[in-house]
Amino acid sequence: VSLLAGASLAAGDRVQTGPQSSAALRFADGARVLLRPDSALRIERTVRLGLTWTVETRVTRLTPLGTPVVVQIPLLPGESITSSDLRAADGKVPVSLPPQSPSAEWTSVLPESRELALSAPAGKPWTEVWRVEPGPLWHVAPSGLPPVFAQDASGPRTLEYRPWPGEALTVAVSRPGSVVGQTLTIDQSVLRLTPGIRATDATLSVRLRTSRGDRETIVLPEGAELLAARVDGSQQPLRLEGRKLAVAVPPGAHVVEADWRQPGGVGLFLRAPALDLGAASVNSHVEFAVPPGRWTLLLGGRGMGPVVLFWSMLAVFALAALGLAKTGLTPLDWRRWLLLAVGLSQLSVPGAALVAGWFVAMGERGRRAPQGKRAFNFVQVALAAYAALAAALLFKAIAHGLLGSPDMQIAGNGSRADLLRWYVDRGGSVLPRPWVLSVPLGVYRAAMLLWALWLANSVLDWARWAWSRFGTGGLWRKD
């Protein structure tokens, strides 16, 4: 329909024309309308950009039924029809609508290209509607015509265009490049070390996830002898290639374990071996099994791990020894107080405080005697019982030092004297390398023997001093 005058139709006006002819009608207000039975068609092209580019074309009659329509519809550049009932020639497809058929449609394919061109020809008896549906594999950048509809939230992403005759649309199409990333993720690693006299046994457990069949390559320390390798608990017949252990893992989550023995046993300074997992890891655990017969002095390493609390407690004892020596109540200077505190450190803090308190109590007893018979005798009995308790505690400290194991008060991250644990939440491919400084237990026993000999020699002097303080003002009052 072409409007030849700018006026609108009057209400109630009727238009009639024959099915095979054109008519030009004049209305009451002077408007003229040219009616053409073959001009009221709408062509809808839906271009889907997926693994294969396809085009769905639908030709819809907008005029009343009863008139046959034959028209040549141009195809898009490179378009190939896949429908069996239509054949294209010279880039056009003949469309025939019988009198009672409202529409016709067909499907076709497009070759992949960097640019998609669409144009609406002028002077043709149809209007066009374009829809472009890019899949997730493609990025589109349209230009030349703004869309009238864009759907993104629900359903496939669709851009719809309704061009006027003569307008064109150019869509630049590109495939987004892949983002470089890792296909292997290490969720947890646990390294357990058991030092021996001449060698160290090690067990590594790695929990990982891989998005494709991959190889987990673990670089073991120098001189390591592989004992066993397992994937999800199943033994694998693997061997080392130099220092590398390559384990093939299928896609999914798995647990890879390896046992080996490396030269170098327990010594003065023991450090975890250099171990490379080949990929960045999280939740790294390192465990040391301290063998019997070792006295752990110091330890350290990256991450959250144990500490030796004995040295901080000894520092507190040193300050207390300095304070007690300043009181002048006892015959001990700060050096002797400190030596006494070293041996008493193997007792509990209340036990060590009771022994130190006995010296202070005896010093106060020598300064002044209690007034009154009952008070005096009560203090004498209490001091005698207190002396027996202090002697028992000293004997316990000697026995523990000579026969027991040193209590270095190791704590932190679930560690204890015979098992040391370190944890790093996020690290690189190389596992943390904590260290332990230890000496044979005989060194501790020898030190405690020297302390016991010093204590035995000092007790004689302390006993004479205590007896003189205990007898100040008499030993017992009868009246």
Side-chain angles (χ1 to χ4, degrees):
V1 178
S2 300
L3 186 63
L4 303 183
S8 60
L9 297 178
D13 290 341
R14 295 184 178 181
V15 179
Q16 294 182 349
T17 181
Q20 302 295 335
S21 61
S22 300
L25 303 181
R26 183 184 300 274
F27 295 94
D29 55 2
R32 291 199 327 163
V33 176
L34 179 64
L35 301 180
R36 299 171 55 189
D38 61 346
S39 63
L41 297 176
R42 182 174 64 230
I43 302 176
E44 302 178 35
R45 304 179 192 264
T46 302
V47 181
R48 292 188 173 90
L49 308 180
L51 294 176
T52 303
W53 289 16
T54 61
V55 182
E56 292 184 3
T57 306
R58 182 182 180 88
V59 180
T60 304
R61 180 205 299 266
L62 301 180
T63 57
L65 299 177
T67 303
V69 175
V70 178
V71 66
Q72 297 281 337
I73 304 297
L75 299 176
L76 298 180
E79 182 180 356
S80 299
I81 296 178
T82 58
S83 300
S84 60
D85 55 343
L86 292 176
R87 293 183 179 274
D90 298 331
K92 296 181 179 180
V93 56
V95 177
S96 177
L97 294 178
Q100 301 301 321
S101 177
S103 62
E105 59 184 36
W106 67 87
T107 59
S108 53
V109 295
L110 278 177
E112 295 182 4
S113 61
R114 295 184 178 180
E115 187 175 270
L116 178 65
L118 299 171
S119 61
K124 298 296 181 180
W126 63 73
T127 59
E128 296 204 16
V129 177
W130 303 328
R131 297 184 185 91
V132 180
E133 295 183 1
L137 295 178
W138 305 99
H139 173 74
V140 296
S143 61
L145 189 65
V148 297
F149 179 74
Q151 180 179 351
D152 209 355
S154 59
R157 184 161 55 112
T158 304
L159 303 176
E160 183 172 318
Y161 300 88
R162 300 195 177 187
W164 284 28
E167 291 185 329
L169 172 68
T170 301
V171 181
V173 184
S174 60
R175 185 190 293 267
S178 59
V179 178
V180 178
Q182 63 184 39
T183 59
L184 180 69
T185 300
I186 299 178
D187 295 324
Q188 186 187 54
S189 64
V190 180
L191 174 62
R192 298 180 178 90
L193 300 172
T194 305
I197 298 177
R198 297 180 179 84
T200 299
D201 291 337
T203 298
L204 175 66
S205 176
V206 179
R207 192 175 67 196
L208 54 85
R209 288 174 294 135
T210 176
S211 59
R212 62 182 183 182
D214 212 335
R215 295 174 68 87
E216 166 66 357
T217 302
I218 303 173
V219 181
L220 300 183
E222 191 69 36
E225 176 188 355
L226 183 65
L227 302 179
R230 296 175 296 276
V231 176
D232 297 331
S234 299
Q235 199 80 15
Q236 301 293 320
L238 302 176
R239 62 180 182 179
L240 289 177
E241 299 176 0
R243 294 174 52 193
K244 296 182 179 180
L245 174 64
V247 182
V249 289
H254 304 279
V255 177
V256 177
E257 297 174 291
D259 302 332
W260 71 89
R261 180 171 294 162
Q262 61 189 49
V266 66
L268 177 64
F269 184 80
L270 179 63
R271 190 173 187 180
L275 201 63
D276 193 346
L277 302 181
S281 63
V282 296
N283 300 322
S284 300
H285 300 261
V286 178
E287 297 181 0
F288 270 108
V290 180
R294 300 299 298 184
W295 180 21
T296 302
L297 299 178
L298 292 173
L299 42 81
R302 182 166 58 97
M304 182 174 63
V307 293
V308 180
L309 299 177
F310 171 80
W311 303 113
S312 58
M313 185 183 70
L314 189 61
V316 175
F317 280 2
L319 293 177
L322 184 60
L324 290 171
K326 294 293 184 180
T327 61
L329 294 175
T330 67
L332 284 75
D333 58 10
W334 73 271
R335 296 181 183 85
R336 291 183 175 86
W337 270 117
L338 183 58
L339 283 175
L340 181 63
V342 169
L344 295 179
S345 63
Q346 298 306 305
L347 300 176
S348 62
V349 174
L354 285 174
V355 175
W358 177 80
F359 283 93
V360 176
M362 295 304 298
E364 285 291 338
R365 172 65 181 83
R367 282 188 175 184
R368 58 181 180 272
Q371 300 298 321
K373 181 182 70 171
R374 291 185 177 180
F376 183 87
N377 293 338
F378 175 78
V379 170
Q380 292 296 92
V381 172
L383 287 177
Y386 199 175
L389 177 61
L393 290 173
L394 286 175
F395 180 79
K396 181 180 179 181
I398 295 173
H400 187 276
L402 295 178
L403 303 177
S405 299
D407 183 10
M408 301 301 289
Q409 301 186 27
I410 297 175
N413 193 32
S415 301
R416 55 181 188 268
D418 60 340
L419 182 61
L420 309 176
R421 294 189 176 103
W422 281 266
Y423 169 74
V424 176
D425 58 349
R426 185 180 297 273
S429 61
V430 180
L431 293 184
R433 303 184 64 192
W435 54 268
V436 179
L437 181 66
S438 66
V439 295
L441 191 58
V443 177
Y444 169 76
R445 300 280 172 79
M448 290 305 297
L449 177 60
L450 293 176
W451 180 82
L453 294 175
W454 168 82
L455 183 63
N457 183 60
S458 301
V459 162
L460 299 176
D461 296 333
W462 297 344
R464 286 192 293 267
W465 168 81
W467 181 256
S468 65
R469 295 299 187 272
F470 185 74
T472 301
L475 296 177
W476 192 263
R477 291 181 181 179
K478 297 180 180 181
D479 297 329

